[in-house]
Amino acid sequence: MCGIVGYVGHRPALDVVMAGLRRLEYRGYDSGGIALVHDGQMASAKKAGKLANLAAVLAEQELPASSTGIGHTRWATHGAPNDRNAHPHLDDEGRIAVVHNGIIENFATLRDELERAGHEMLSETDTEVVAHLVRDELEKTPDLSDAVRAACRRLEGAFTLVIADAQRPDVVVGARRNSPLVVGRGEGENFLGSDVSAFIEYTREAIELGQDQVVTITPGSIDVTDFHGDPVQVTPYHVDWDVSAAEKGGYDWFMLKEIDEQPQAVADTLLGRHTPEGRLQLDEMRLSDDELRDIDKIIVVACGTAAYAGHVAKYAIEHWTRIPCEVELASEFRYRDPILDRSTLVVAISQSGETMDTLQAIRYARQQRARVLSICNTNGSTIPRESDAVIYTHAGPEIAVASTKGFLAQVVACYLLGLYLAQIKGIKYGDEIAAIIAALEKIPAGIQRLLDEGDQVRKLAAELADSRSVLFLGRHVGYPVALEGALKLKELAYIHAEGFAAGELKHGPIAVVGDGIPVFVVVPPRARDQLQEKIVSNIQEVRARGARTIVLVEDGDDDVVPYADHVIRLPQVPTLLQPLVATVPLQIFACELADQLGHDVDQPRNLAKSVTVE
Ligand code: M6R
């Protein structure tokens, strides 16, 4: 949600800021804007809609040359997504320009106070108060960073702020509480961004900013303090992917590229995790073996697709470790007074590492003394920073709003965690763990086969493009796959779609089954005899009521074929690993259907890539 860019250096700031905003488009937004410092003046432009609209404004209203600038893509929270509410927001004199991500919870009080003091507000946003507050603070101090710190101390809620002052060329100040902000270190230039993709084409050297910190960048310096001005220790890091990873590389959509990158994402997430003797090693596991041996309950917290990865994990973790594992939506977790103690391991799954509900869930868990391990794809993001331990997925940057390779990599990381706990607790023999790892290492080839056979799924999507409703059924680990298949279709094709545990069918959902409704069914591997028989009955039940059945079934299993209108073959894999292959055709289906319907596959309406407000 909201993309933020700040730049000081030797290049034309307009180009750098616009390029950064384009790379941050994937976060989701409904307006864009830019402000440049030039000759003691602040020049700004903003426009509702896509960045193309802003570019059109900039073509008409030429901004002056500048090497200091800030920019923003806004995902509306307070106030409609129109030109007036787009960022940057300026103070009365047009001297201070502010862009913001987050929600300033006490903005109404501050706004009243500022209006009573004679300030005029031009927008309905919570952000605008900051420009006026900073301007007021500059009456007390000549130092922009001091003024920003003083303003921050008055703000409540979540905010990343990036601020420029017309009277301070070559300085941009950033601040963060709860929302993400990273610093890019260049040569004679420095950058601020919501994430590293904002500046990846110029530098791969970055600095994590911590909670309640203010950063001041000039072309030759980066100073970080807390909100009181005390210097703080920062953690620099090198970004291990380059600009090509954040580009479409010839694909029509990032999502297509990311679906195709899944064999690599799975292989990379497994890479280097075990010794030649087959013993698992998780380098980022900062919890000791003794601490892990004490764990007697696991609670997975996550949102959306990441939560479905957690649902898959529950089956594997409980089976391999015999430790009870619950899965909870992060947005519900801390409001239900969960029972946590030192021997509870809370596992937070988040691709972005910035999802606010998940972040608040782990903060709550740590306050209650639980240990927190995060599974995350984004180095330096807030959730791993605030966790006791982390397992990074190595999927590379995920740009499309719909999570694909992020999901598969999360599932793999959860399996690694389950096996690692089983190893530490001595519940599984080394050769059993090695056999599962060997099966996991064959998964990338299985995914590749499904990608190579993607045309049949694309053809099916074309045939079903006018469906008004689609159902997905699964049992055991096929159930979260069904949920994920339905979510993908909803978010991309805007079609009503629901996933059910097939066993629930007769308890209600079967009432919606009628003539021609497509029903996808994930059939468990034959090794799960009992489940297999039951799902065959479920397929017959929906077919008898007129459903069009699309059956995902492993190679060699022909029992369901007589009841299937369409068969999608899956490679044979162990039951618990089946989600890693069964999800892939459902991703291709949703992507293709959305494309057929003419939707923006990478940036579906109303959605943001990472949801950084509650
Ligand atoms: O970055 P996170 O993994 O924490 O994001 C969680 C969800 O917002 C995310 O998975 C969302 O459901 C995706 N749009 C699904 O495709």
Side-chain angles (χ1 to χ4, degrees):
M1 272 173 174
C2 297
I4 285 187
V5 185
Y7 177 72
V8 282
H10 46 79
R11 300 174 204 261
L14 176 66
D15 297 350
V16 176
V17 171
M18 285 301 285
L21 292 181
R22 285 196 187 93
R23 290 205 187 285
L24 294 177
E25 275 192 292
Y26 79 95
R27 298 173 69 88
Y29 71 104
D30 36 49
S31 61
I34 182 166
L36 303 175
V37 175
H38 172 78
D39 202 14
Q41 304 289 319
M42 190 66 71
S44 73
K46 48 193 197 173
K47 193 70 192 161
K50 293 286 179 190
L51 284 178
N53 299 1
L54 176 62
V57 170
L58 290 169
E60 279 185 15
Q61 169 200 335
E62 205 178 312
L63 295 188
S66 167
S67 56
T68 302
I70 63 177
H72 191 260
T73 46
R74 171 174 188 252
W75 192 91
T77 56
H78 288 66
N82 55 26
D83 294 354
R84 205 155 48 93
N85 291 329
H87 300 205
H89 291 285
L90 277 64
D91 68 308
D92 302 292
E93 293 165 36
R95 171 179 163 184
I96 300 297
V98 175
V99 295
H100 165 224
N101 174 18
I103 295 177
I104 295 166
E105 286 165 2
N106 59 336
F107 89 98
T109 317
L110 293 169
R111 189 179 170 115
D112 275 359
E113 177 191 312
L114 287 160
E115 283 177 336
R116 275 200 304 274
H119 292 277
E120 191 192 353
M121 301 287 158
L122 300 177
S123 76
E124 303 155 278
T125 66
D126 51 338
T127 306
E128 194 179 353
V129 296
V130 180
H132 297 275
L133 279 180
V134 172
R135 180 65 192 87
D136 277 0
E137 292 297 336
L138 281 169
E139 293 299 317
K140 302 175 204 157
T141 169
D143 186 81
L144 178 63
S145 309
D146 278 345
V148 171
R149 281 187 280 266
C152 286
R153 292 196 294 271
R154 302 209 52 205
L155 303 179
E156 289 166 17
F159 49 89
T160 292
L161 298 167
V162 170
I163 297 170
D165 177 352
Q167 294 185 12
R168 296 294 313 275
D170 288 349
V171 177
V172 169
V173 179
R176 74 159 294 226
R177 169 181 286 167
N178 290 333
S179 299
L181 184 65
V182 285
V183 185
R185 291 189 296 152
E187 293 287 325
E189 59 183 349
N190 286 307
F191 307 80
L192 298 175
S194 298
D195 61 59
V196 295
S197 53
F199 49 75
I200 192 72
E201 66 187 286
Y202 308 107
T203 179
R204 291 165 70 185
E205 304 309 316
I207 293 175
E208 301 175 7
L209 271 197
Q211 180 72 343
D212 286 8
Q213 293 182 354
V214 168
V215 59
T216 306
I217 58 168
T218 70
S221 65
I222 298 170
D223 291 309
V224 185
T225 69
D226 62 18
F227 282 179
H228 297 279
D230 294 323
V232 292
Q233 203 63 24
V234 294
T235 318
Y237 65 100
H238 178 75
V239 182
D240 59 7
W241 48 272
D242 64 15
V243 67
S244 65
E247 287 175 344
K248 282 191 195 151
Y251 286 86
D252 288 343
W253 301 109
F254 276 109
M255 185 180 176
L256 284 174
K257 176 174 175 244
E258 289 160 8
I259 288 173
D260 273 6
E261 285 170 347
Q262 294 185 109
Q264 196 62 47
V266 168
D268 286 350
T269 302
L270 287 169
L271 199 67
R273 308 288 199 178
H274 60 85
T275 64
E277 298 74 45
R279 212 173 153 70
L280 276 174
Q281 50 186 19
L282 298 178
D283 292 339
E284 315 104 326
M285 175 59 74
R286 301 187 290 249
L287 292 168
S288 70
D289 289 3
D290 280 345
E291 286 171 317
L292 291 173
R293 266 190 282 271
D294 282 348
I295 299 299
D296 61 14
K297 180 166 75 172
I298 295 173
I299 305 180
V300 178
V301 290
C303 301
T305 287
Y308 297 148
H311 279 284
V312 173
K314 174 183 165 71
Y315 290 87
I317 289 176
E318 287 193 338
H319 184 70
W320 290 334
T321 68
R322 312 312 297 155
I323 303 172
C325 176
E326 299 164 21
V327 186
E328 178 110 20
L329 291 173
S331 53
E332 291 293 322
F333 175 69
R334 70 190 171 120
Y335 301 108
R336 72 162 175 92
D337 195 15
I339 301 164
L340 305 170
D341 60 31
R342 209 71 196 122
S343 42
T344 308
L345 180 67
V346 170
V347 177
I349 307 178
S350 175
Q351 189 285 131
S352 62
E354 300 293 351
T355 298
M356 184 55 74
D357 286 312
T358 311
L359 177 60
Q360 296 298 356
I362 67 165
R363 285 185 177 159
Y364 177 83
R366 291 191 77 190
Q367 278 163 13
Q368 305 296 311
R369 300 184 61 249
R371 297 173 210 273
V372 172
L373 178 144
S374 57
I375 289 178
C376 184
N377 195 42
T378 312
N379 207 315
S381 57
T382 311
I383 290 171
R385 280 174 60 88
E386 296 197 15
S387 300
D388 298 303
V390 55
I391 300 176
Y392 279 111
T393 52
H394 295 292
E398 193 178 64
I399 309 286
V401 163
S403 185
T404 53
K405 61 177 182 173
F407 172 74
L408 290 203
Q410 285 163 351
V411 171
V412 170
C414 288
Y415 291 154
L416 289 171
L417 173 64
L419 293 171
Y420 190 73
L421 289 170
Q423 174 179 286
I424 299 287
K425 288 197 163 230
I427 294 167
K428 282 223 166 293
Y429 293 124
D431 58 346
E432 293 173 298
I433 293 174
I436 300 167
I437 294 288
L440 275 168
E441 284 174 339
K442 288 190 192 140
I443 293 287
I447 298 172
Q448 190 56 54
R449 192 198 97 184
L450 290 164
L451 297 175
D452 296 342
E453 293 169 0
D455 276 353
Q456 55 147 338
V457 180
R458 281 185 271 275
K459 198 161 151 265
L460 180 69
E463 284 169 28
L464 297 180
D466 56 3
S467 304
R468 310 248 336 237
S469 182
V470 180
L471 303 185
F472 293 81
L473 302 180
R475 280 176 178 266
H476 194 259
V477 285
Y479 170 40
V481 173
L483 295 173
E484 172 61 3
L487 178 62
K488 284 281 108 53
L489 199 57
K490 266 184 271 208
E491 67 180 329
L492 295 169
Y494 321 149
I495 289 177
H496 168 250
E498 279 193 74
F500 297 109
E504 276 293 290
L505 202 57
K506 295 189 281 296
H507 299 283
I510 200 163
V512 301
V513 175
D515 254 0
I517 187 171
V519 180
F520 283 78
V521 187
V522 183
V523 179
R526 276 157 83 94
R528 310 288 300 177
D529 279 347
Q530 281 179 326
L531 287 179
Q532 227 247 0
E533 285 163 19
K534 295 206 166 70
I535 209 148
V536 172
S537 308
N538 297 139
I539 298 169
Q540 287 172 299
E541 285 156 10
V542 292
R543 199 150 189 260
R545 285 159 181 84
R548 176 168 177 172
T549 52
I550 302 110
V551 171
L552 288 84
V553 62
E554 72 177 3
D555 291 332
D557 181 351
D558 294 328
D559 294 354
V560 292
V561 174
Y563 317 108
D565 294 299
H566 192 98
V567 175
I568 297 173
R569 286 293 181 184
L570 302 175
Q572 286 185 350
V573 299
T575 302
L576 284 168
L577 308 192
Q578 199 196 40
L580 292 173
V581 289
T583 309
V584 177
L586 303 184
Q587 298 166 338
I588 298 172
F589 179 77
C591 182
E592 179 65 21
L593 195 55
D595 192 44
Q596 294 267 340
L597 294 174
H599 297 329
D600 185 333
V601 170
D602 288 336
Q603 292 168 41
R605 70 181 181 201
N606 303 336
L607 294 180
K609 177 64 180 163
S610 89
V611 181
T612 51
V613 294
E614 276 188 90

